Amino acid sequence: MIVAIDGPAGAGKSTVARALAERLHFRYLDTGAMYRALTWFAMLRGVDLGDARALSDLARAEPVVFDDAGRVWIAGTDVTSSIREQRIDRMVPVVARHPAVREVMRERQRQLGREGDVVIEGRDIGTVVAPDAEVKVYLVADREERARRRSSERPGIGADALATDLRLRDESDAARMEPAPDAREIDTTNLRVEDVVGRIEALVRERTAA
């Protein structure tokens, strides 16, 4: 079974998806981490981040791997921590905007999604990556709450910088932020993580029973 979780930055996708996967004993696939890993590796190699062909070739030659513990690997290197650095935050949108790169990444995401029960979170998962997912969820939250969450995740970054980053991310993601017609929307603004996880788990159990 594939559970697809979409939504804007700060809506709670990663936290919810990770907790849901643990509760259901599914694998957890963070598609954003894949773009971060490619960005990290391209910067290490000195690849021009504006060169779509070079980036897509690199993504195809060195596919991102997730181990059983959920760590992220590329080219034999554990980059789980490195890809969360501020310099990667700034450059990921530059890499992810290339259609050629996204196509290679989507192919890899589909491949990973076929390897058993999985929770996949990111952008356009329910519409493009896994349109046949059995359960589709679209998480939303108020801009203020999303900014607060981002601040707690990035304590070293000022509030103004985070607000600007969130606005730019929203603008960059706008074209890919349409929920699938059959996705269940959940507003996480005033909900605890366990409440959101419980609602999605109920959808999974309902689908399994059917």
Short mmCIF file of all heavy atoms in Angstrom, two decimals, residues 134-200:
data_model
loop_
_atom_site.label_atom_id
_atom_site.label_comp_id
_atom_site.label_asym_id
_atom_site.label_seq_id
_atom_site.Cartn_x
_atom_site.Cartn_y
_atom_site.Cartn_z
N GLU A 134 -3.30 4.28 -2.65
CA GLU A 134 -4.57 3.88 -2.03
C GLU A 134 -5.12 4.93 -1.08
O GLU A 134 -6.33 5.07 -0.92
CB GLU A 134 -4.40 2.55 -1.29
CG GLU A 134 -4.21 1.35 -2.20
CD GLU A 134 -2.77 1.13 -2.61
OE1 GLU A 134 -1.92 2.04 -2.40
OE2 GLU A 134 -2.46 0.05 -3.14
N VAL A 135 -4.23 5.66 -0.41
CA VAL A 135 -4.64 6.72 0.51
C VAL A 135 -3.87 7.98 0.17
O VAL A 135 -2.64 7.96 0.06
CB VAL A 135 -4.38 6.33 1.99
CG1 VAL A 135 -4.70 7.50 2.92
CG2 VAL A 135 -5.20 5.11 2.38
N LYS A 136 -4.61 9.09 -0.02
CA LYS A 136 -3.98 10.37 -0.34
C LYS A 136 -4.44 11.42 0.66
O LYS A 136 -5.64 11.55 0.91
CB LYS A 136 -4.35 10.83 -1.75
CG LYS A 136 -3.95 9.86 -2.85
CD LYS A 136 -4.41 10.36 -4.21
CE LYS A 136 -4.15 9.32 -5.30
NZ LYS A 136 -4.62 9.79 -6.62
N VAL A 137 -3.47 12.14 1.20
CA VAL A 137 -3.78 13.16 2.20
C VAL A 137 -3.06 14.45 1.82
O VAL A 137 -1.92 14.42 1.34
CB VAL A 137 -3.32 12.71 3.61
CG1 VAL A 137 -3.58 13.82 4.63
CG2 VAL A 137 -4.02 11.43 4.02
N TYR A 138 -3.75 15.57 2.02
CA TYR A 138 -3.15 16.88 1.76
C TYR A 138 -3.22 17.69 3.04
O TYR A 138 -4.30 18.01 3.52
CB TYR A 138 -3.91 17.59 0.63
CG TYR A 138 -3.22 18.81 0.09
CD1 TYR A 138 -2.26 18.69 -0.91
CD2 TYR A 138 -3.51 20.08 0.59
CE1 TYR A 138 -1.61 19.81 -1.42
CE2 TYR A 138 -2.87 21.21 0.08
CZ TYR A 138 -1.92 21.07 -0.91
OH TYR A 138 -1.28 22.18 -1.40
N LEU A 139 -2.05 17.97 3.62
CA LEU A 139 -1.99 18.71 4.87
C LEU A 139 -1.86 20.20 4.62
O LEU A 139 -1.09 20.62 3.75
CB LEU A 139 -0.79 18.23 5.71
CG LEU A 139 -0.73 16.75 6.07
CD1 LEU A 139 0.47 16.48 6.97
CD2 LEU A 139 -2.02 16.29 6.74
N VAL A 140 -2.60 20.99 5.38
CA VAL A 140 -2.50 22.45 5.30
C VAL A 140 -2.39 23.00 6.72
O VAL A 140 -2.67 22.31 7.70
CB VAL A 140 -3.73 23.07 4.60
CG1 VAL A 140 -3.84 22.58 3.16
CG2 VAL A 140 -5.02 22.76 5.36
N ALA A 141 -1.97 24.27 6.83
CA ALA A 141 -1.91 24.95 8.13
C ALA A 141 -1.80 26.44 7.85
O ALA A 141 -1.37 26.86 6.77
CB ALA A 141 -0.71 24.47 8.94
N ASP A 142 -2.19 27.25 8.84
CA ASP A 142 -2.08 28.70 8.71
C ASP A 142 -0.62 29.10 8.50
O ASP A 142 0.29 28.45 9.04
CB ASP A 142 -2.59 29.40 9.98
CG ASP A 142 -4.11 29.28 10.14
OD1 ASP A 142 -4.76 28.89 9.16
OD2 ASP A 142 -4.60 29.55 11.24
N ARG A 143 -0.40 30.19 7.75
CA ARG A 143 0.96 30.65 7.48
C ARG A 143 1.73 30.91 8.78
O ARG A 143 2.91 30.58 8.87
CB ARG A 143 0.89 31.93 6.62
CG ARG A 143 2.23 32.62 6.36
CD ARG A 143 3.10 31.86 5.39
NE ARG A 143 2.52 31.85 4.07
CZ ARG A 143 2.76 32.79 3.13
NH1 ARG A 143 3.55 33.79 3.41
NH2 ARG A 143 2.23 32.67 1.92
N GLU A 144 1.08 31.51 9.77
CA GLU A 144 1.76 31.82 11.03
C GLU A 144 2.23 30.55 11.74
O GLU A 144 3.33 30.49 12.28
CB GLU A 144 0.82 32.61 11.95
CG GLU A 144 0.46 34.00 11.47
CD GLU A 144 -0.57 33.99 10.36
OE1 GLU A 144 -1.19 32.92 10.12
OE2 GLU A 144 -0.76 35.04 9.72
N GLU A 145 1.38 29.54 11.75
CA GLU A 145 1.74 28.28 12.40
C GLU A 145 2.85 27.57 11.63
O GLU A 145 3.76 26.99 12.23
CB GLU A 145 0.52 27.37 12.51
CG GLU A 145 0.80 25.98 13.09
CD GLU A 145 1.34 26.00 14.50
OE1 GLU A 145 1.22 27.04 15.19
OE2 GLU A 145 1.90 24.97 14.93
N ARG A 146 2.78 27.63 10.33
CA ARG A 146 3.83 27.01 9.51
C ARG A 146 5.17 27.69 9.77
O ARG A 146 6.21 27.03 9.88
CB ARG A 146 3.45 27.08 8.04
CG ARG A 146 2.27 26.17 7.68
CD ARG A 146 1.69 26.52 6.32
NE ARG A 146 2.72 26.54 5.31
CZ ARG A 146 2.73 27.35 4.26
NH1 ARG A 146 1.75 28.22 4.09
NH2 ARG A 146 3.71 27.29 3.39
N ALA A 147 5.16 29.03 9.89
CA ALA A 147 6.39 29.78 10.17
C ALA A 147 6.94 29.41 11.56
O ALA A 147 8.15 29.27 11.74
CB ALA A 147 6.13 31.28 10.08
N ARG A 148 6.05 29.24 12.53
CA ARG A 148 6.48 28.87 13.88
C ARG A 148 7.16 27.50 13.87
O ARG A 148 8.19 27.30 14.51
CB ARG A 148 5.28 28.85 14.83
CG ARG A 148 5.65 28.63 16.29
CD ARG A 148 4.43 28.30 17.13
NE ARG A 148 3.85 27.01 16.78
CZ ARG A 148 4.39 25.84 17.13
NH1 ARG A 148 5.52 25.80 17.84
NH2 ARG A 148 3.81 24.71 16.80
N ARG A 149 6.58 26.58 13.13
CA ARG A 149 7.15 25.24 13.06
C ARG A 149 8.52 25.26 12.38
O ARG A 149 9.45 24.59 12.83
CB ARG A 149 6.21 24.31 12.30
CG ARG A 149 4.91 24.01 13.03
CD ARG A 149 3.94 23.26 12.14
NE ARG A 149 2.67 23.02 12.81
CZ ARG A 149 1.59 22.55 12.19
NH1 ARG A 149 1.65 22.26 10.89
NH2 ARG A 149 0.47 22.37 12.87
N ARG A 150 8.63 26.04 11.33
CA ARG A 150 9.91 26.14 10.64
C ARG A 150 10.97 26.74 11.56
O ARG A 150 12.13 26.35 11.54
CB ARG A 150 9.77 26.99 9.38
CG ARG A 150 8.83 26.43 8.34
CD ARG A 150 9.38 25.23 7.63
NE ARG A 150 10.40 25.59 6.67
CZ ARG A 150 11.05 24.73 5.89
NH1 ARG A 150 10.77 23.45 5.98
NH2 ARG A 150 11.96 25.12 5.03
N SER A 151 10.53 27.69 12.39
CA SER A 151 11.46 28.34 13.32
C SER A 151 11.99 27.33 14.33
O SER A 151 13.17 27.35 14.70
CB SER A 151 10.74 29.48 14.04
OG SER A 151 11.61 30.11 14.97
N SER A 152 11.12 26.44 14.82
CA SER A 152 11.56 25.43 15.78
C SER A 152 12.49 24.41 15.14
O SER A 152 13.37 23.84 15.80
CB SER A 152 10.34 24.72 16.39
OG SER A 152 9.66 23.96 15.41
N GLU A 153 12.33 24.20 13.84
CA GLU A 153 13.20 23.27 13.11
C GLU A 153 14.54 23.91 12.78
O GLU A 153 15.55 23.22 12.65
CB GLU A 153 12.53 22.83 11.80
CG GLU A 153 11.28 21.99 11.99
CD GLU A 153 10.53 21.79 10.67
OE1 GLU A 153 10.98 22.36 9.65
OE2 GLU A 153 9.51 21.10 10.66
N ARG A 154 14.56 25.24 12.63
CA ARG A 154 15.77 25.97 12.24
C ARG A 154 16.04 27.09 13.24
O ARG A 154 15.91 28.27 12.93
CB ARG A 154 15.60 26.58 10.84
CG ARG A 154 15.23 25.59 9.75
CD ARG A 154 16.43 24.72 9.36
NE ARG A 154 16.17 23.99 8.14
CZ ARG A 154 15.55 22.84 8.09
NH1 ARG A 154 15.09 22.28 9.20
NH2 ARG A 154 15.36 22.21 6.93
N PRO A 155 16.38 26.76 14.49
CA PRO A 155 16.54 27.77 15.54
C PRO A 155 17.64 28.79 15.26
O PRO A 155 17.64 29.88 15.84
CB PRO A 155 16.87 26.94 16.79
CG PRO A 155 17.42 25.64 16.25
CD PRO A 155 16.67 25.40 14.97
N GLY A 156 18.55 28.48 14.37
CA GLY A 156 19.65 29.40 14.09
C GLY A 156 19.32 30.45 13.05
O GLY A 156 20.17 31.29 12.73
N ILE A 157 18.11 30.42 12.52
CA ILE A 157 17.73 31.35 11.46
C ILE A 157 16.70 32.34 12.02
O ILE A 157 15.77 31.95 12.71
CB ILE A 157 17.13 30.59 10.26
CG1 ILE A 157 18.11 29.52 9.77
CG2 ILE A 157 16.81 31.57 9.13
CD1 ILE A 157 17.58 28.69 8.63
N GLY A 158 16.88 33.62 11.72
CA GLY A 158 16.00 34.66 12.22
C GLY A 158 14.59 34.54 11.68
O GLY A 158 14.35 33.96 10.62
N ALA A 159 13.63 35.13 12.42
CA ALA A 159 12.22 35.04 12.05
C ALA A 159 11.94 35.68 10.69
O ALA A 159 11.18 35.14 9.89
CB ALA A 159 11.36 35.71 13.13
N ASP A 160 12.56 36.81 10.42
CA ASP A 160 12.34 37.50 9.14
C ASP A 160 12.85 36.65 7.99
O ASP A 160 12.19 36.54 6.95
CB ASP A 160 13.03 38.87 9.13
CG ASP A 160 12.35 39.87 10.06
OD1 ASP A 160 11.20 39.62 10.45
OD2 ASP A 160 12.99 40.89 10.39
N ALA A 161 14.02 36.06 8.17
CA ALA A 161 14.60 35.22 7.12
C ALA A 161 13.73 34.00 6.88
O ALA A 161 13.52 33.58 5.73
CB ALA A 161 16.01 34.79 7.51
N LEU A 162 13.18 33.43 7.95
CA LEU A 162 12.32 32.27 7.81
C LEU A 162 11.02 32.62 7.10
O LEU A 162 10.53 31.86 6.27
CB LEU A 162 12.01 31.67 9.19
CG LEU A 162 13.06 30.73 9.75
CD1 LEU A 162 12.78 30.44 11.22
CD2 LEU A 162 13.12 29.44 8.96
N ALA A 163 10.46 33.78 7.44
CA ALA A 163 9.21 34.21 6.79
C ALA A 163 9.44 34.40 5.30
O ALA A 163 8.60 34.01 4.47
CB ALA A 163 8.72 35.50 7.43
N THR A 164 10.58 35.00 4.95
CA THR A 164 10.91 35.20 3.54
C THR A 164 11.11 33.86 2.84
O THR A 164 10.62 33.65 1.73
CB THR A 164 12.18 36.05 3.40
OG1 THR A 164 11.97 37.33 4.00
CG2 THR A 164 12.55 36.23 1.93
N ASP A 165 11.82 32.95 3.51
CA ASP A 165 12.05 31.63 2.95
C ASP A 165 10.74 30.89 2.70
O ASP A 165 10.55 30.26 1.66
CB ASP A 165 12.93 30.81 3.89
CG ASP A 165 13.10 29.37 3.44
OD1 ASP A 165 13.77 29.15 2.42
OD2 ASP A 165 12.55 28.46 4.10
N LEU A 166 9.81 30.99 3.65
CA LEU A 166 8.53 30.32 3.51
C LEU A 166 7.74 30.89 2.34
O LEU A 166 7.13 30.14 1.56
CB LEU A 166 7.72 30.47 4.80
CG LEU A 166 6.50 29.56 4.97
CD1 LEU A 166 6.91 28.10 4.94
CD2 LEU A 166 5.78 29.88 6.27
N ARG A 167 7.77 32.21 2.20
CA ARG A 167 7.06 32.85 1.08
C ARG A 167 7.64 32.40 -0.25
O ARG A 167 6.91 32.07 -1.19
CB ARG A 167 7.16 34.37 1.22
CG ARG A 167 6.49 35.13 0.07
CD ARG A 167 6.59 36.63 0.27
NE ARG A 167 7.95 37.08 0.40
CZ ARG A 167 8.78 37.28 -0.64
NH1 ARG A 167 8.36 37.04 -1.88
NH2 ARG A 167 10.01 37.69 -0.45
N LEU A 168 8.98 32.38 -0.33
CA LEU A 168 9.63 31.97 -1.57
C LEU A 168 9.35 30.50 -1.88
O LEU A 168 9.15 30.12 -3.04
CB LEU A 168 11.13 32.22 -1.49
CG LEU A 168 11.56 33.69 -1.41
CD1 LEU A 168 13.06 33.80 -1.21
CD2 LEU A 168 11.14 34.43 -2.68
N ARG A 169 9.33 29.66 -0.83
CA ARG A 169 9.03 28.25 -1.03
C ARG A 169 7.61 28.08 -1.55
O ARG A 169 7.36 27.27 -2.45
CB ARG A 169 9.19 27.49 0.30
CG ARG A 169 10.61 27.30 0.76
CD ARG A 169 11.35 26.27 -0.07
NE ARG A 169 10.77 24.95 0.03
CZ ARG A 169 11.03 24.10 1.02
NH1 ARG A 169 11.86 24.43 1.99
NH2 ARG A 169 10.49 22.91 1.04
N ASP A 170 6.67 28.84 -0.99
CA ASP A 170 5.28 28.76 -1.43
C ASP A 170 5.16 29.16 -2.90
O ASP A 170 4.44 28.52 -3.68
CB ASP A 170 4.39 29.65 -0.58
CG ASP A 170 4.10 29.06 0.80
OD1 ASP A 170 4.43 27.88 1.01
OD2 ASP A 170 3.55 29.78 1.65
N GLU A 171 5.87 30.23 -3.28
CA GLU A 171 5.82 30.70 -4.66
C GLU A 171 6.44 29.67 -5.60
O GLU A 171 5.92 29.40 -6.68
CB GLU A 171 6.55 32.04 -4.79
CG GLU A 171 5.85 33.19 -4.07
CD GLU A 171 6.67 34.47 -4.07
OE1 GLU A 171 7.83 34.43 -4.57
OE2 GLU A 171 6.16 35.49 -3.58
N SER A 172 7.55 29.08 -5.16
CA SER A 172 8.23 28.07 -5.98
C SER A 172 7.39 26.82 -6.14
O SER A 172 7.36 26.18 -7.20
CB SER A 172 9.58 27.73 -5.35
OG SER A 172 10.21 26.66 -6.03
N ASP A 173 6.67 26.45 -5.07
CA ASP A 173 5.89 25.21 -5.07
C ASP A 173 4.49 25.36 -5.64
O ASP A 173 3.78 24.36 -5.81
CB ASP A 173 5.76 24.67 -3.64
CG ASP A 173 7.09 24.21 -3.07
OD1 ASP A 173 8.00 23.94 -3.85
OD2 ASP A 173 7.20 24.14 -1.83
N ALA A 174 4.08 26.60 -5.92
CA ALA A 174 2.68 26.88 -6.29
C ALA A 174 2.17 25.97 -7.40
O ALA A 174 1.06 25.44 -7.33
CB ALA A 174 2.53 28.34 -6.69
N ALA A 175 2.99 25.76 -8.43
CA ALA A 175 2.54 24.96 -9.57
C ALA A 175 2.34 23.50 -9.21
O ALA A 175 1.61 22.78 -9.89
CB ALA A 175 3.56 25.07 -10.71
N ARG A 176 2.98 23.05 -8.11
CA ARG A 176 2.89 21.63 -7.72
C ARG A 176 2.06 21.44 -6.46
O ARG A 176 2.04 20.34 -5.89
CB ARG A 176 4.29 21.07 -7.49
CG ARG A 176 5.15 21.04 -8.73
CD ARG A 176 6.48 20.40 -8.44
NE ARG A 176 7.33 21.25 -7.64
CZ ARG A 176 8.29 20.82 -6.81
NH1 ARG A 176 8.47 19.52 -6.66
NH2 ARG A 176 9.04 21.65 -6.14
N MET A 177 1.35 22.46 -6.04
CA MET A 177 0.63 22.39 -4.78
C MET A 177 -0.86 22.16 -4.91
O MET A 177 -1.63 22.45 -3.99
CB MET A 177 0.87 23.67 -3.97
CG MET A 177 2.23 23.72 -3.29
SD MET A 177 2.38 22.50 -1.93
CE MET A 177 3.09 21.10 -2.75
N GLU A 178 -1.28 21.62 -6.02
CA GLU A 178 -2.69 21.28 -6.19
C GLU A 178 -2.94 19.89 -5.61
O GLU A 178 -2.32 18.92 -6.02
CB GLU A 178 -3.08 21.31 -7.66
CG GLU A 178 -3.15 22.71 -8.27
CD GLU A 178 -4.24 23.55 -7.63
OE1 GLU A 178 -5.31 22.99 -7.29
OE2 GLU A 178 -4.03 24.76 -7.46
N PRO A 179 -3.86 19.76 -4.66
CA PRO A 179 -4.13 18.43 -4.10
C PRO A 179 -4.82 17.54 -5.13
O PRO A 179 -5.54 18.03 -6.02
CB PRO A 179 -5.05 18.73 -2.92
CG PRO A 179 -5.71 20.03 -3.25
CD PRO A 179 -4.66 20.81 -4.00
N ALA A 180 -4.61 16.25 -5.03
CA ALA A 180 -5.30 15.31 -5.90
C ALA A 180 -6.80 15.41 -5.63
O ALA A 180 -7.21 15.66 -4.50
CB ALA A 180 -4.81 13.89 -5.63
N PRO A 181 -7.64 15.22 -6.65
CA PRO A 181 -9.09 15.31 -6.47
C PRO A 181 -9.63 14.38 -5.39
O PRO A 181 -10.62 14.69 -4.72
CB PRO A 181 -9.65 14.94 -7.85
CG PRO A 181 -8.54 15.27 -8.80
CD PRO A 181 -7.28 14.95 -8.05
N ASP A 182 -8.97 13.24 -5.21
CA ASP A 182 -9.45 12.27 -4.23
C ASP A 182 -8.65 12.29 -2.92
O ASP A 182 -8.73 11.36 -2.12
CB ASP A 182 -9.42 10.86 -4.82
CG ASP A 182 -8.05 10.47 -5.38
OD1 ASP A 182 -7.21 11.37 -5.59
OD2 ASP A 182 -7.83 9.27 -5.63
N ALA A 183 -7.89 13.38 -2.70
CA ALA A 183 -7.11 13.49 -1.46
C ALA A 183 -7.99 14.01 -0.32
O ALA A 183 -8.87 14.84 -0.54
CB ALA A 183 -5.92 14.42 -1.67
N ARG A 184 -7.73 13.55 0.87
CA ARG A 184 -8.43 14.03 2.06
C ARG A 184 -7.60 15.19 2.65
O ARG A 184 -6.45 15.00 3.02
CB ARG A 184 -8.58 12.92 3.08
CG ARG A 184 -9.30 13.33 4.36
CD ARG A 184 -10.77 13.55 4.14
NE ARG A 184 -11.43 12.34 3.71
CZ ARG A 184 -11.94 11.42 4.55
NH1 ARG A 184 -11.86 11.60 5.86
NH2 ARG A 184 -12.54 10.34 4.06
N GLU A 185 -8.19 16.37 2.73
CA GLU A 185 -7.47 17.52 3.28
C GLU A 185 -7.62 17.56 4.80
O GLU A 185 -8.71 17.38 5.34
CB GLU A 185 -8.01 18.82 2.69
CG GLU A 185 -7.26 20.06 3.18
CD GLU A 185 -7.69 21.33 2.48
OE1 GLU A 185 -7.60 21.39 1.24
OE2 GLU A 185 -8.15 22.26 3.19
N ILE A 186 -6.49 17.80 5.48
CA ILE A 186 -6.49 17.90 6.94
C ILE A 186 -5.77 19.18 7.33
O ILE A 186 -4.61 19.38 6.97
CB ILE A 186 -5.78 16.69 7.59
CG1 ILE A 186 -6.49 15.38 7.24
CG2 ILE A 186 -5.73 16.87 9.12
CD1 ILE A 186 -5.80 14.14 7.79
N ASP A 187 -6.46 20.05 8.06
CA ASP A 187 -5.86 21.29 8.56
C ASP A 187 -5.18 20.96 9.88
O ASP A 187 -5.83 20.63 10.87
CB ASP A 187 -6.94 22.35 8.75
CG ASP A 187 -6.37 23.72 9.10
OD1 ASP A 187 -5.24 23.77 9.64
OD2 ASP A 187 -7.04 24.73 8.83
N THR A 188 -3.85 21.06 9.90
CA THR A 188 -3.08 20.66 11.09
C THR A 188 -2.81 21.81 12.05
O THR A 188 -2.13 21.61 13.06
CB THR A 188 -1.73 20.06 10.65
OG1 THR A 188 -0.91 21.10 10.09
CG2 THR A 188 -1.93 18.94 9.64
N THR A 189 -3.32 23.00 11.75
CA THR A 189 -2.99 24.19 12.54
C THR A 189 -3.15 23.98 14.03
O THR A 189 -2.25 24.29 14.82
CB THR A 189 -3.86 25.38 12.10
OG1 THR A 189 -3.70 25.61 10.70
CG2 THR A 189 -3.46 26.65 12.86
N ASN A 190 -4.28 23.44 14.43
CA ASN A 190 -4.58 23.28 15.86
C ASN A 190 -4.61 21.82 16.31
O ASN A 190 -5.21 21.51 17.35
CB ASN A 190 -5.92 23.95 16.19
CG ASN A 190 -5.91 25.44 15.90
OD1 ASN A 190 -5.02 26.16 16.34
ND2 ASN A 190 -6.90 25.91 15.14
N LEU A 191 -3.97 20.97 15.53
CA LEU A 191 -3.97 19.55 15.87
C LEU A 191 -2.59 19.10 16.34
O LEU A 191 -1.56 19.59 15.87
CB LEU A 191 -4.36 18.71 14.65
CG LEU A 191 -5.79 18.87 14.12
CD1 LEU A 191 -5.96 18.02 12.86
CD2 LEU A 191 -6.81 18.46 15.18
N ARG A 192 -2.57 18.15 17.28
CA ARG A 192 -1.32 17.54 17.69
C ARG A 192 -0.91 16.51 16.62
O ARG A 192 -1.75 16.01 15.88
CB ARG A 192 -1.49 16.84 19.03
CG ARG A 192 -1.87 17.76 20.19
CD ARG A 192 -2.12 16.95 21.45
NE ARG A 192 -3.18 15.96 21.23
CZ ARG A 192 -3.47 14.99 22.08
NH1 ARG A 192 -2.77 14.84 23.19
NH2 ARG A 192 -4.45 14.15 21.82
N VAL A 193 0.36 16.22 16.59
CA VAL A 193 0.87 15.26 15.60
C VAL A 193 0.13 13.93 15.72
O VAL A 193 -0.30 13.35 14.72
CB VAL A 193 2.38 15.02 15.80
CG1 VAL A 193 2.86 13.87 14.92
CG2 VAL A 193 3.16 16.28 15.47
N GLU A 194 -0.08 13.46 16.96
CA GLU A 194 -0.72 12.16 17.14
C GLU A 194 -2.18 12.18 16.66
O GLU A 194 -2.71 11.15 16.22
CB GLU A 194 -0.68 11.72 18.61
CG GLU A 194 -1.15 12.74 19.60
CD GLU A 194 -0.03 13.58 20.18
OE1 GLU A 194 0.89 13.96 19.44
OE2 GLU A 194 -0.09 13.85 21.40
N ASP A 195 -2.82 13.36 16.70
CA ASP A 195 -4.19 13.46 16.21
C ASP A 195 -4.23 13.33 14.68
O ASP A 195 -5.09 12.65 14.13
CB ASP A 195 -4.81 14.80 16.62
CG ASP A 195 -4.99 14.92 18.13
OD1 ASP A 195 -5.18 13.88 18.77
OD2 ASP A 195 -4.92 16.05 18.65
N VAL A 196 -3.27 13.98 14.03
CA VAL A 196 -3.20 13.90 12.56
C VAL A 196 -2.87 12.47 12.14
O VAL A 196 -3.50 11.91 11.23
CB VAL A 196 -2.14 14.87 12.01
CG1 VAL A 196 -2.09 14.78 10.48
CG2 VAL A 196 -2.44 16.30 12.44
N VAL A 197 -1.90 11.87 12.83
CA VAL A 197 -1.51 10.49 12.53
C VAL A 197 -2.71 9.56 12.72
O VAL A 197 -2.97 8.68 11.90
CB VAL A 197 -0.34 10.04 13.43
CG1 VAL A 197 -0.09 8.54 13.26
CG2 VAL A 197 0.92 10.82 13.08
N GLY A 198 -3.48 9.78 13.78
CA GLY A 198 -4.65 8.95 14.04
C GLY A 198 -5.69 9.04 12.93
O GLY A 198 -6.29 8.03 12.55
N ARG A 199 -5.89 10.24 12.42
CA ARG A 199 -6.87 10.42 11.34
C ARG A 199 -6.43 9.69 10.07
O ARG A 199 -7.25 9.06 9.40
CB ARG A 199 -7.06 11.91 11.04
CG ARG A 199 -7.75 12.68 12.16
CD ARG A 199 -8.10 14.08 11.71
NE ARG A 199 -8.68 14.86 12.79
CZ ARG A 199 -9.24 16.04 12.64
NH1 ARG A 199 -9.29 16.60 11.44
NH2 ARG A 199 -9.73 16.70 13.68
N ILE A 200 -5.14 9.79 9.77
CA ILE A 200 -4.66 9.13 8.55
C ILE A 200 -4.65 7.61 8.74
O ILE A 200 -4.99 6.85 7.83
CB ILE A 200 -3.26 9.64 8.17
CG1 ILE A 200 -3.27 11.15 7.98
CG2 ILE A 200 -2.79 8.95 6.88
CD1 ILE A 200 -1.91 11.75 7.73
#
